[in-house]
Amino acid sequence: MDLWFNLTLVFVAGLITALATGLGAIPFFLVEKIGDRWNVGLWGFASGIMVAASVFGLIFEGLQNGGSQPVPKLVAGLLTGVVLVVVSHRLLSDSDIDPQEYEEADFKKLVLILGILTVHSFPEGIAVGVSFAELGFEGVEGIVVAGQLVPLLAIFMTVAISIHNVPEGIAISIPLRSMGVNEWRMVGWAVFSSLPQPIGAVIAFAFVRVAREFLPFGFGFAAGAMIYLVLTEFIPEALDQGEGLPGGGRRELIVGVASGVALMVPLAFI
């Protein structure tokens, strides 16, 4: 019974982060377009959140709960996370998905779309799942939810990834807006883009609970994948959005990153 309850709780946490992506479409209920300056700042904000969550949440936790020799496992996990993203991108690099085709997508097209979105969303789900590794254990600092002691790290990562997903939802909604997709469908597709997160969360949680000695590897894996995504996807996307701004949008990007880090670091040490 506890196992199914724990898996359900982890799934719900991952689902919350996925639903948060839909919030990115909400501004389009109020305005027609979000300016480049705000887009750059939001991508920077998301980048700062993910790097801070990875370093001060996952990596620190891996070092503290990795037994006598956590560093080799943590480093191996970091490298594996990077390799996963690199290989996934190469496998899918020839797949050109047009958001306009979403409405008419057949089964194969939907599978292909989901595969591409998984590259971005799955590592974030893994981060949520790994952060729940000590769910219900005595002596863990946390908050009681439905009779179970939920680790503070799990709450921290769920909040961090939920906040991070809002700018992702905006980025998904922008091309859909330009193609005339209505606001509620934009919300739906934004949430759809993050549906791999609850699945990844459950898989990662089940793995680290069974193989406790691989916990530092799991923390490293999630951190490596997310940091690599920030460096190769989020920041380049921000700079592309800010190409027409003074200084190429670098000022807005730096402010955004600093704001994201400033928000998450205090939470990591509560």
Side-chain angles (χ1 to χ4, degrees):
M1 183 67 178
D2 283 346
L3 173 61
W4 288 109
F5 179 82
N6 290 346
L7 290 174
T8 301
L9 188 60
V10 173
F11 181 85
V12 169
L15 186 60
I16 288 172
T17 66
L19 292 174
T21 314
L23 296 176
I26 299 301
F28 293 95
F29 284 80
L30 306 173
V31 298
E32 284 295 317
K33 182 180 179 182
I34 295 178
D36 289 340
R37 191 179 299 276
W38 275 101
N39 273 318
V40 174
L42 286 169
W43 275 110
F45 186 63
S47 299
I49 286 173
M50 297 310 288
V51 171
S54 297
V55 174
F56 298 106
L58 296 171
I59 293 177
F60 274 24
E61 195 72 17
L63 292 172
Q64 292 174 6
N65 294 279
S68 58
Q69 291 184 321
V71 175
K73 296 176 185 177
L74 189 65
V75 171
L78 284 165
L79 295 176
T80 304
V82 171
V83 169
L84 169 73
V85 178
V86 171
V87 171
S88 300
H89 275 198
R90 290 194 176 180
L91 288 174
L92 297 169
S93 60
D94 295 330
S95 303
D96 184 18
I97 301 300
D98 184 351
Q100 194 170 13
E101 298 178 7
Y102 282 10
E103 302 297 328
E104 298 86 26
D106 57 17
F107 179 75
K108 289 183 180 180
K109 179 68 73 175
L110 286 174
V111 170
L112 183 57
I113 293 169
L114 185 58
I116 292 171
L117 297 172
T118 299
V119 174
H120 298 271
S121 295
F122 200 69
E124 295 157 10
I126 289 174
V128 173
V130 171
S131 70
F132 275 86
E134 296 181 321
L135 177 64
F137 286 7
E138 293 184 3
V140 176
E141 292 186 8
I143 298 174
V144 177
V145 177
Q148 280 282 47
L149 185 62
V150 178
L152 287 178
L153 176 64
I155 297 169
F156 172 73
M157 289 306 302
T158 302
V159 170
I161 292 175
S162 295
I163 296 173
H164 148 269
N165 277 354
V166 176
E168 277 203 353
I170 292 174
I172 292 163
S173 299
I174 289 172
L176 295 176
R177 161 65 83 186
S178 67
M179 294 168 187
V181 177
N182 70 51
E183 289 84 357
W184 286 110
R185 287 188 179 273
M186 287 161 57
V187 172
W189 283 115
V191 172
F192 174 78
S193 74
S194 291
L195 286 184
Q197 289 177 13
I199 299 170
V202 170
I203 292 173
F205 172 75
F207 177 78
V208 296
R209 290 283 279 210
V210 172
R212 293 283 298 168
E213 67 272 16
F214 286 104
L215 188 53
F217 178 88
F219 282 124
F221 179 87
M226 290 199 300
I227 291 172
Y228 187 77
L229 280 173
V230 166
L231 295 177
T232 61
E233 294 289 334
F234 296 175
I235 291 179
E237 177 68 23
L239 293 175
D240 283 345
Q241 294 279 343
E243 196 172 17
L245 297 174
R250 290 177 178 82
R251 181 179 60 185
E252 289 80 5
L253 175 61
I254 291 171
V255 171
V257 170
S259 299
V261 172
L263 173 67
M264 298 314 298
V265 170
L267 293 178
F269 292 99
I270 293 177

